[in-house]
Amino acid sequence: MEDERTDSTETAQDGGPRGGITRKNVLKAAVAAVPLPLLLGGVALARDTEPADGPLTPTPYCDDGDDPTPPQTEGPYFKPNSPLRDSLVQPGTQGTRLTVSGFVFGLTCQPLANVLLDWWQADVNGAYDNVGFRFRGHQFTDQRGAFRLTTIVPGLYPGRTRHLHVKVQAPNQPVLTTQLYFPGEPRNNTDPIFNPALLMNVRQNGPAKEGSFDFVLRVRGSSTPSPTGRPTTPGGTWAAGTDYRTGDQVGYDGVAYTCLQPHTARAGWEPPAVPALWRRT
């Protein structure tokens, strides 16, 4: 659902203006106290300070009324079994280098650790690799809820503006499938799928670009699942702490599952709970 808040005079429950210090601001200051390069455009992040005047941007801010990040179509080019990696750049990769970083939060501002982010995109010529896994990969947020991806600015292809695809899933939670967009793209005005709530902040850093975006997920429960410890399994061969590879077979609650992506099993990632990692066989 798009954030339709546009009233610059909106106030907090205590009657003061919305803005200033928020829990996300404190988190940002603690983990990213570095100067920002030149801002190219986009929208304020959920962890950024809210402007004192002007219309509110559609990207959710951190308060108890946040809307979740809106979903978008998967499109025809998604493939399971992407490799575990935080860089999609390989030797000889052409294109403008791009890093995308941010946090994943719940609706009540809690950072979410161990969230799966599965990325895929076009190459510099606007083509997707449907045979191998170029410009495809998955990663997990750290204990701060932070992620960082190294890739390139994707090329254009007919009918679409420039974009990145991603699936986002907190442990034992539903999958959010969505897309991220670049500010200032002429095709943003003609792409029927484009949603301004999904604009990244993009900054120039020498010859490269830096994009930022915070995801807000609608998660059940109020606590972040523990990344370690014993699973609450009713029996089977699956076990937390085990390194699984694509094609590995396990049993869980009397059902057989096949591993789709290499990963280290953690509590909360039992096979029925994470279809991005396990397929029932």
Side-chain angles (χ1 to χ4, degrees):
M1 181 174 69
E2 288 190 15
D3 190 336
E4 298 178 349
R5 293 172 295 174
T6 57
D7 182 0
S8 63
T9 63
E10 184 174 357
T11 58
Q13 290 181 355
D14 60 4
R18 295 184 61 218
I21 297 176
T22 68
R23 279 174 282 176
K24 285 183 183 176
N25 293 5
V26 173
L27 177 60
K28 177 187 177 183
V31 303
V34 294
L36 295 179
L38 178 64
L39 179 66
L40 296 184
V43 294
L45 298 180
R47 66 186 186 276
D48 285 340
T49 300
E50 190 169 329
D53 53 15
L56 298 182
T57 63
T59 296
Y61 288 101
C62 181
D63 59 37
D64 290 338
D66 275 351
D67 289 331
T69 300
Q72 289 221 306
T73 177
E74 177 181 284
Y77 301 120
F78 173 71
K79 287 177 59 177
N81 307 326
S82 70
L84 174 63
R85 57 188 178 187
D86 57 15
S87 176
L88 308 184
V89 174
Q90 300 176 345
T93 294
Q94 297 181 345
T96 301
R97 296 295 189 265
L98 169 71
T99 58
V100 180
S101 62
F103 293 87
V104 181
F105 293 98
L107 292 177
T108 56
C109 307
Q110 76 275 23
L112 301 177
N114 308 315
V115 174
L116 171 68
L117 298 103
D118 196 347
W119 303 91
W120 71 103
Q121 68 171 84
D123 64 16
V124 69
N125 298 312
Y128 286 82
D129 180 7
N130 296 317
V131 177
F133 290 94
R134 289 195 318 116
F135 298 109
R136 299 176 184 270
H138 72 276
Q139 60 183 169
F140 297 93
T141 57
D142 63 18
Q143 293 302 304
R144 306 166 302 165
F147 68 90
R148 182 180 178 87
L149 176 75
T150 302
T151 183
I152 65 166
V153 175
L156 293 167
Y157 62 89
R160 291 301 317 276
T161 190
R162 215 177 299 273
H163 62 280
L164 304 173
H165 292 271
V166 62
K167 288 181 179 288
V168 188
Q169 183 182 31
N172 204 27
Q173 300 290 333
V175 178
L176 167 69
T177 300
T178 194
Q179 302 179 35
L180 301 184
Y181 295 100
F182 295 77
E185 289 288 329
R187 292 193 187 180
N188 288 351
N189 297 323
T190 59
D191 188 330
I193 303 176
F194 171 75
N195 185 342
L198 297 169
L199 279 168
M200 294 183 288
N201 274 331
V202 178
R203 307 174 178 95
Q204 193 72 40
N205 186 3
K209 293 186 176 182
E210 296 179 349
S212 302
F213 191 86
D214 292 340
F215 295 94
V216 179
L217 301 183
R218 188 188 301 278
V219 294
R220 297 185 298 268
S222 59
S223 61
T224 302
S226 171
T228 59
R230 294 185 176 276
T232 56
T233 83
T237 59
W238 181 90
T242 303
D243 292 325
Y244 290 108
R245 296 176 296 179
T246 301
D248 285 350
Q249 304 283 322
V250 300
Y252 183 88
D253 197 18
V255 178
Y257 292 89
T258 300
C259 179
L260 297 177
Q261 304 189 62
H263 66 283
T264 301
R266 303 169 188 256
W269 296 353
E270 293 84 352
V274 280
L277 298 179
W278 295 100
R279 181 181 67 241
R280 183 168 177 162
T281 56

